[in-house]
Structure formats: structure tokens, C-alpha cells
Amino acid sequence: MPLMTGEQYIESLRKLNTQVYLFGKKEPNWIDHPIIRPSINCLAMTYDLAHDPEYADLMTATSSLTGRTINRFCHLHMSTDDLIKKIKMQRLLGQKTASCFQRCVGMDAFNAVFSTTFECDEKYGTHYHENFKKYLTYVQDNDLTIDGAMTDPKGDRGKTHRDQPDPDLFVRIVEKRPDGIVVRGAKAHQTGSINSHEHLVMPTQAVAEGDKAYAVCFAAPSDAPGLFMIYGRQASDTRKLEPGADIDLGNKKFGGQEALVVFDNVFIPNDRIFLCEEADYAAMLVERFAGYHRQSYGGCKVGVGDVIIGAAALAAEYNGAQKASHVKDKLIEMTHLNETLYSCGIACSCEGCATKAGNFQIDLLLANVCKQNVTRFPYEIVRLAEDIAGGLMVTMPSEQDFKSDLKVPTASNFSLGEWCDKFFAGAEGVTTENRMRVLRFLENICLGSSAVGYRTESMHGAGSPQAQRIMIARQGNIEGKKELAKVIAGIKE
Ligand code: SF4
Ligand code: FE
């Protein structure tokens, strides 16, 4: 089964015995749950688009491991061209879903684990790279979705691994056996974790030699004994439970998903271990995964930005304000910001280079600059979108009022729906429903459930702003720049 369809992907999830908790209860049919389903539909798009001949060049690739055609989300980037196509694929999916489509974390983890295990084996004579190649071949051949799991709960941020009052606040090895290891802990805010087939777990930060039980990388299926997940709720998520909800959802079909993934003494067999106490390789793995994921944001958020800009332009038209020069200028500003993010994504891809293992890595400095901009520009883009949309975006009555034929006993004897239609009309020739639809979309993306993916994830996903600033400081070569200045200024020290 080299390339699954979206439907086959959804059916494949049903075969797993994934343990999901939501609103204080275990949710046996989480796949069809109205709150969770949009995130599954969204991920299914990564499968469906791979079957569309128009997008085959972006959505599929030839496996460097087997020579077979695979979904690009399972691919090791073997050139800068692959890195560029990755960004273009993510922009495309952002445009088609206006959400976080979740599958990138696995792709970014594959590429980071592939190159790090190679270098770790080189130093220690371990066998992690072979383990990982076998594992990735299995993933590619079965077209699986993998949660690239990095972020630990971390407890007291002022304390490192060993100083935490609760040792489980970082994932760690609690037992070593001849046939494998037992791990314990959790990964927080895991994008797409519930609808992933497996989890590829990495350390969350550099690990000191004395904390080596925390230097662990492994893969576990979503239904491994001892593994369960608690779904992360989103703003306005219960709107999805309203009977017949459509317009009020803003984006009815697609959404993102995050969850807490708990490992309560999960057994990992030897062939699924990719790092086991080699503390000095934890930082390399973290840096590389974070670099790839910071590149990713120069694609996915740009695609979503395209939809937001389009919606803002439509809102202006439906309000009859499209000719106002300030509106035109705001759309130009939004486009400028969005394309700047794309430029960063493309630039760090073009400047990529081969790792020792042979796959390609992005330029780390430019990828961190990319993500740093993503922590800011989407906020400005939604500010401008809200400005253009107008206050009605957050004050209009519900879809049920618009659809109601309940007569209001006043002189006109209009129904509730007729009153809404009359007073929320915009530009001539535009239906009130269409005006409402575009405003609800903007509400959803600016401050509803989709704001998780577009705003706060832009801030904290792939590392919070300060994490990028640390990398920019490390990679920025201030010493080299001082030398440049000395030469020009004629300074001899
Ligand atoms: Fe992919 Fe973007 Fe979601 Fe990360 S935030 S998983 S890069 S869509
Ligand atoms: Fe993310």
C-alpha cells in the first residue's frame, strides 16, 4: 500500500486501539467525534492530494531507501530541491485546509533522526541508524502518519531534568532489559498525535551526562500498552457539537489538533530504539528537528495566510469597502508580510546542505529567522484582517437566528431570519449568508478554534521566540562581523 487515500487513512486509524480521553471521559469513537473529526479530515488531505496528478510533483517523491514512490511527508530530503518542494507542499496544504495539517512533525523528525543516528553510530559504534532505516522503510511502505514528539511537560522551568521534584516531567528510561527499554513520562501539545499511527519520541533539550536516562529516542505505536492521550480543547470547540452547525464554525471541515501523550511504563523493543543514553547527541537531535520545523512554518502558515488575505478581501467587497485606499493598502501589507515568511522558508531551503548521512538539512540560521518572523507576522496579518472585517465579525447573531422562521410579534411580522437578513445586509448583490460566512471564517481563524493553529502555534510551535533567539545568537557570527567592521573602519587592535 504505497499511497493511501484519505479514506483509507481514516479506516487505518479505526484498526488501532488508540486510547483517547476528552472532556473527562474515555472517547471510544474519537474518529467520528465532531470536535476531533476536522483534524482527521485535515490530515486526510495530505493523502488525497498525493493522488491528484496536478500536485504529484509536490506531494510525492522517490524514496532514497527503496526507490519506490512515496508520500513526500515520509521522505528524506535528498537535495535543496526537495527542501524547496517541502515548503511548496506545505503552502499548498495550508491553502487547501486553512489549518494545521499535522503531518509535518513526523517528516521533520525522520530527517533529524536519520542524520543524528548516523553520527551517533559513527562515534559510539551503536546500531541506531540501521534500526531507523528499517523503521522508516516500514513507515514509507505503509504510508503512515507519525507524531514527531519532542516537547516534554518540563515542570519547573528553572530546574533541569534531575532537579525536578517529579522525575516524570521529562520522558526517561526507567528500565533496561535485554530485549528493550521501558520508558515513562509524557509529551505535551502534540500536534496530530491522536490521529497518528505512531509516535517518534525525541529528547526536548540538551541532556547532561548525569541525566543520561533522559537521552532517549524511540518509536511506539499509538496503541502501545501504557500509552494514552488527553485531547487539548480549543476556543469555541463546543460550537462543533451544536446540531446542524455549519456557518458558525467558520471552517466546518478542517482543523488542527494537539494532545497530551502519556507513557506510563511503555515497553520499547530494541529495534525501535534510536538513542539510548548517548547524552551528547540529544542537543544535535533537538537542534535539527527544531530547524526543520522552523523551516516548515515558512510554508504552512503562508498557505493559511493566503486564505486569510482572500477572506479579508472578500469581507471588504461584501461590506462595499473594497475601493477604499486604506483597505487596498492593508491587503498589500498583509501580502507583503505573508510573502516575507515564504521568502524565509524558501531561503533556508535553498541554502541547505548535505549531512554526513546524506540527507539534506536547512540553513539553521535562516530557518530560525523564518520562525522568529512567524512569531510576529501572523499576529499583524490577523490584526489587519480584523480591521478590514469590522466589528460584526464578533457581534452578529448565531446561524440559528439567521435560519429561524420564528415570527417576531411586532408590526412588520417578520421572522427572526428576515430581521437578520435585513439588518446584516452589506453591499448590493451580496447575500447576507455569504457575508456571514466570510466573517465567521475570519472569527474562527483570528480568535476561534483555528486561532490555535494560526496564532498561538505561530508563537510557540517549533519552539517559543526565545528558543530562536538563542539559535540566532549562536549562528549569527558576531565575531566575524566585528572583523568586517574593523577592516572597513581601519581599526588595528
Ligand atoms: Fe505542519 Fe505547520 Fe502544523 Fe507544524 S504547524 S504540523 S508545520 S501544518
Ligand atoms: Fe506546529
Side-chain angles (χ1 to χ4, degrees), residues 73 84 96 100 170 184 222-223 246 309 336 384 410 416:
F73 279 97
I84 294 166
K96 298 285 187 193
C100 164
F170 292 86
R184 186 171 176 77
S222 280
D223 57 359
D246 171 14
I309 295 167
H336 160 70
L384 291 166
T410 53
L416 212 48

Side-chain angles (χ1 to χ4, degrees), residues 281-327:
Y281 281 88
M284 180 187 284
L285 191 46
V286 172
E287 204 169 90
R288 290 185 181 178
F289 172 77
Y292 284 121
H293 208 49
R294 289 169 194 171
Q295 169 210 22
S296 288
Y297 278 47
C300 74
K301 300 299 178 231
V302 179
V304 179
D306 288 328
V307 188
I308 297 171
I309 295 167
L314 280 175
E317 248 172 71
Y318 295 171
N319 288 344
Q322 74 275 24
K323 290 197 181 124
S325 63
H326 74 94
V327 168

Side-chain angles (χ1 to χ4, degrees), residues 73 90 99-105 107-108 191 258 293 296-297 299-301 453 457 461-462:
F73 279 97
Q90 289 168 314
S99 298
C100 164
F101 36 88
Q102 309 145 58
R103 203 174 171 187
C104 327
V105 280
M107 166 175 58
D108 292 339
T191 296
E258 268 79 25
H293 208 49
S296 288
Y297 278 47
C300 74
K301 300 299 178 231
E457 192 177 49

Side-chain angles (χ1 to χ4, degrees), residues 428-442:
E428 211 183 327
V430 174
T431 65
T432 309
E433 181 184 318
N434 282 349
R435 188 169 181 234
M436 195 183 168
R437 278 187 183 276
V438 83
L439 293 177
R440 284 289 182 218
F441 168 75
L442 286 169

Side-chain angles (χ1 to χ4, degrees), residues 81 122 181 200 290 365 381 391 417 454 482:
D81 188 51
E122 212 179 40
I181 53 173
L200 176 50
L365 175 60
I381 289 171
Y454 189 64
K482 276 172 22 187

Side-chain angles (χ1 to χ4, degrees), residues 36 109 112 131 171 210 222 250 280 305 307 316 320 322 377 394 404-405 445 475:
I36 301 180
N131 282 358
V171 170
S222 280
D280 49 341
V307 188
Q322 74 275 24
F377 296 179
V394 292
S404 171
D405 48 20
I445 199 102
Q475 305 270 330

